[in-house]
Amino acid sequence: MGVHEEELPEEVRESVEEAWPLFVDFLKKKEARVTQARKIILTQVFSRHDHFCADDLAAELSSGMNHVSRGTVYRTLALMEEAGLVRVIRDTDVHAHYEHTFNHPNHEHMICDTCGQFIEFSDDRITALVEEACERHHFAERTHRIVVFGTCEQCMQKK
Amino acid sequence: MGVHEEELPEEVRESVEEAWPLFVDFLKKKEARVTQARKIILTQVFSRHDHFCADDLAAELSSGMNHVSRGTVYRTLALMEEAGLVRVIRDTDVHAHYEHTFNHPNHEHMICDTCGQFIEFSDDRITALVEEACERHHFAERTHRIVVFGTCEQCMQKK
DNA sequence: ATTACTGCAAAGCATTTGCAAATGC
DNA sequence: GCATTTGCAAATGCTTTGCAGTAAT
């Protein structure tokens, strides 16, 4: 497990030292292996990134002494998401999904992880709070999107 | 402009009859052209779809008498979105964006259309309302994501 | 020893694009 | 007639996958 990490700034090392054991636990519960590549990736994730994309991360790790291949980066990021250490802000689903908005008041969506069903919901209070947040940040809203992921009632009952 | 539409159900024809003039206005303002293909696509969008993906739509229009090519479907869907007649629920950005969640309380994002900057914000009241909506729909939330698109303060000033 | 993981390069696949022909204005 | 659109097919580019070698248990 000889990962080169001597030049890490203090705060990064601290984050890694807290996050890594969590990932190790997760992997052991899953009977997956604690590997060098996984530690390198976790370290890089907690290093210089606020928001980053998978491909940039892969590029950063494609050379240098802590080399990890693209495929492994993608595979590990998926694991880290499952472990709750990383969050997808903007996901690339296979398809872009649309709906027509004509005669269709603003509403948001819940998507069932199991059956893929879209459930529509709306709440004016949420809309108002989002607007309020935009004002606070002097941000001119064009549109917003709220998606909740989880399990729908029917799929819940089947379990 | 000979679009075959004799077999459309009543309600679809009504929607099309209301939406099409809006699209025409939009196109004229933009000095773009009012074409047969654009009407076929709009009609199809308002026909049998609640939620649909670009590719399925393209597939449906790839044969039959109202034939439109894949490329045109993608191009027109973008125009319809610009016109506000269609909404993207789940977008395929070029990259998937991540962030690490460790020591990072739950928060949402605003993304600037102009500079691409991510602005973080959070509001517990929104979170609570989303949870409430899930209870109402008996939906077991795993996670949710709120993204606001628009223009940030700095880019606003430059205009 | 056994089995999972990694690296590599090739495959996948939705979307985009270039260009000649067709169509709207 | 002129400029924009379309259709087609090829290109693009992120992501996934197969497989043989390597590392973890």
Side-chain angles (χ1 to χ4, degrees):
Chain A
M1 289 282 322
V3 181
H4 299 271
E5 56 186 46
E6 52 285 338
E7 290 176 42
L8 293 179
E10 188 67 18
E11 61 185 277
V12 170
R13 220 182 48 236
E14 276 172 22
S15 289
V16 172
E17 275 167 17
E18 289 187 84
W20 177 238
L22 295 177
F23 198 29
V24 170
D25 282 354
F26 169 84
L27 292 171
K28 289 195 169 158
K29 266 190 206 112
K30 218 179 168 346
E31 293 182 35
R33 291 183 180 167
V34 177
T35 66
Q36 198 176 143
R38 286 172 181 167
K39 182 156 194 188
I40 294 174
I41 293 166
L42 180 139
T43 303
Q44 186 71 8
V45 164
F46 282 92
S47 284
R48 3 192 181 299
H49 298 286
D50 230 34
H51 300 101
F52 59 93
C53 59
D55 206 55
D56 288 350
L57 191 74
E60 290 170 12
L61 291 173
S62 66
S63 61
M65 49 189 179
N66 287 328
H67 174 278
V68 182
S69 75
R70 252 191 170 60
T72 302
V73 168
Y74 279 96
R75 284 182 280 226
T76 303
L77 238 23
L79 280 173
M80 286 182 68
E81 201 201 345
E82 208 185 320
L85 290 164
V86 130
R87 199 156 72 118
V88 181
I89 300 171
R90 229 172 155 175
D91 62 319
T92 306
D93 191 18
V94 200
H95 312 272
H97 290 265
Y98 290 87
E99 67 181 356
H100 53 257
T101 47
F102 189 66
N103 281 341
H104 206 28
N106 245 28
H107 59 269
E108 314 303 342
H109 296 86
M110 300 172 186
I111 305 180
C112 178
D113 292 331
T114 307
C115 67
Q117 180 189 184
F118 283 65
I119 299 166
E120 300 184 356
F121 73 98
S122 70
D123 189 329
D124 292 342
R125 293 170 297 170
I126 296 180
T127 312
L129 288 171
V130 169
E131 276 170 24
E132 197 188 302
C134 289
E135 277 167 31
R136 232 175 11 243
H137 290 267
H138 307 286
F139 189 85
E141 173 174 359
R142 173 171 58 76
T143 185
H144 71 257
R145 198 172 305 149
I146 301 179
V147 184
V148 185
F149 297 94
T151 313
C152 75
E153 196 174 1
Q154 299 93 301
C155 290
M156 211 59 191
Q157 286 170 351
K158 285 180 197 159
K159 291 183 181 172
Chain B
M1 289 283 321
V3 181
H4 299 269
E5 54 188 48
E6 52 283 343
E7 291 177 44
L8 293 179
E10 189 67 18
E11 61 183 279
V12 170
R13 219 181 49 236
E14 277 173 21
S15 287
V16 171
E17 273 166 20
E18 288 187 86
W20 176 239
L22 295 177
F23 197 30
V24 170
D25 283 354
F26 169 83
L27 292 171
K28 290 196 168 155
K29 268 191 203 110
K30 218 178 168 347
E31 295 183 31
R33 291 184 179 166
V34 178
T35 65
Q36 198 177 145
R38 285 172 183 166
K39 181 155 193 188
I40 293 173
I41 293 166
L42 181 138
T43 303
Q44 186 71 9
V45 164
F46 283 92
S47 285
R48 3 195 180 299
H49 298 289
D50 229 35
H51 299 102
F52 59 93
C53 62
D55 206 55
D56 287 351
L57 192 74
E60 290 170 13
L61 292 172
S62 66
S63 62
M65 49 191 179
N66 287 328
H67 174 276
V68 182
S69 74
R70 255 194 168 59
T72 302
V73 169
Y74 279 96
R75 284 182 281 227
T76 303
L77 237 23
L79 280 172
M80 286 183 68
E81 200 200 345
E82 209 185 319
L85 290 165
V86 130
R87 200 155 71 117
V88 181
I89 300 171
R90 228 171 155 178
D91 62 320
T92 305
D93 193 17
V94 201
H95 312 271
H97 290 266
Y98 290 87
E99 70 181 353
H100 53 256
T101 47
F102 188 68
N103 281 340
H104 207 28
N106 244 29
H107 59 268
E108 314 302 342
H109 296 88
M110 299 172 185
I111 305 181
C112 178
D113 291 330
T114 307
C115 67
Q117 181 190 182
F118 283 64
I119 298 166
E120 300 183 355
F121 74 97
S122 69
D123 189 330
D124 292 343
R125 293 169 298 170
I126 296 180
T127 312
L129 288 171
V130 169
E131 277 170 24
E132 198 187 304
C134 288
E135 277 166 32
R136 226 167 26 237
H137 291 267
H138 306 287
F139 189 84
E141 173 175 358
R142 175 171 57 77
T143 184
H144 71 257
R145 199 173 303 151
I146 302 178
V147 184
V148 185
F149 297 92
T151 313
C152 74
E153 195 174 2
Q154 298 95 299
C155 290
M156 212 59 191
Q157 286 171 352
K158 286 180 194 155
K159 289 183 180 171

